[in-house]
Amino acid sequence: MGRVTSNVLDSTAIERALVRIAHEIIEANKGAHDIVLVGILTRGDVVAARLADAIEAITGTRLPVGRLDISFYRDDVRIQAAPQVHRTDITFPLEGKTVVLVDDVLFTGRTIRAAMDAVMDFGRPAAIRLAVIIDRGHRELPIRADYVGKNVPSSVSEKIRVQLMPVDECDSVDIVNGDDTDASPVDAGGDT
């Protein structure tokens, strides 16, 4: 595994960022009506659930939360030997709703493009917005986040490791350098 060169966010900072994003979502939408949260697997769904908790604590309204697997919507699906497929779980209508796509890291924009294609297969939302914990730049597509926990300028060779409970043992966001040969939760940067 690579060497941690910098801790970007600890558990307290992650929680603060999520509460701030929750307030921004509420303010931008003039409340919590007609909003649904859709987390992109595998850590965007954790972030979406936490945002729903924060929004409920602020407004008293529980937003619907879905989980989205984009494995077959990715533009590199043909070159992957066997994509790891998870279950998409969107049990509520998207028609006329503001869908807030949620992911942990925004990098090239390719994951978000795939997620937008997948969302459109579930219905025609009134709008799609994007919330991320980390925006590290280096876009390959014209995509930007509407709600950002932290902008982290990084080199293309650096990796961002996001760890979130209960998927991981702790909550942290780190910059990691070096080889990353194990199955650790590191965004190598080519797919988000």
Side-chain angles (χ1 to χ4, degrees), residues 22-175:
H23 279 283
E24 291 173 1
I25 290 170
I26 294 163
E27 183 177 334
N29 293 283
K30 297 176 178 54
H33 306 291
D34 293 324
I35 302 171
V36 299
L37 302 174
V38 176
I40 301 169
L41 293 168
T42 57
R43 284 180 181 74
D45 62 326
V46 174
V47 178
R50 290 187 184 183
L51 281 173
D53 292 343
I55 290 169
E56 183 176 21
I58 296 164
T59 67
T61 300
R62 183 69 183 180
L63 297 182
V65 179
R67 299 164 35 114
L68 183 64
D69 179 20
I70 60 158
S71 297
F72 292 113
Y73 290 88
R74 295 177 53 89
D75 58 8
D76 61 356
V77 72
R78 291 180 306 276
I79 61 174
Q80 290 184 1
Q84 188 176 12
V85 179
H86 303 279
R87 182 172 168 242
T88 290
D89 185 17
I90 299 176
T91 59
F92 45 84
L94 300 183
E95 297 289 331
K97 304 288 185 186
T98 296
V99 173
V100 179
L101 282 174
V102 183
D103 207 0
D104 55 351
V105 178
L106 175 58
F107 186 41
T108 65
R110 291 184 180 277
T111 294
I112 304 309
R113 187 221 34 95
M116 289 189 296
D117 289 347
V119 162
M120 296 309 258
D121 281 351
F122 283 89
R124 188 172 192 273
I128 298 176
R129 303 288 182 248
L130 176 59
V132 297
I133 294 177
I134 300 294
D135 183 345
R136 60 177 294 195
H138 304 287
R139 247 24 123 248
E140 294 175 4
L141 300 173
I143 290 178
R144 70 168 179 79
D146 299 282
Y147 314 106
V148 177
K150 184 170 179 99
N151 288 296
V152 179
S154 60
S155 75
V156 174
S157 64
E158 291 177 313
K159 296 170 177 46
I160 301 291
R161 179 178 63 197
V162 176
Q163 297 181 91
L164 296 171
M165 293 188 304
V167 175
D168 304 300
E169 294 179 7
C170 65
D171 286 350
S172 72
V173 178
D174 302 306
I175 295 178

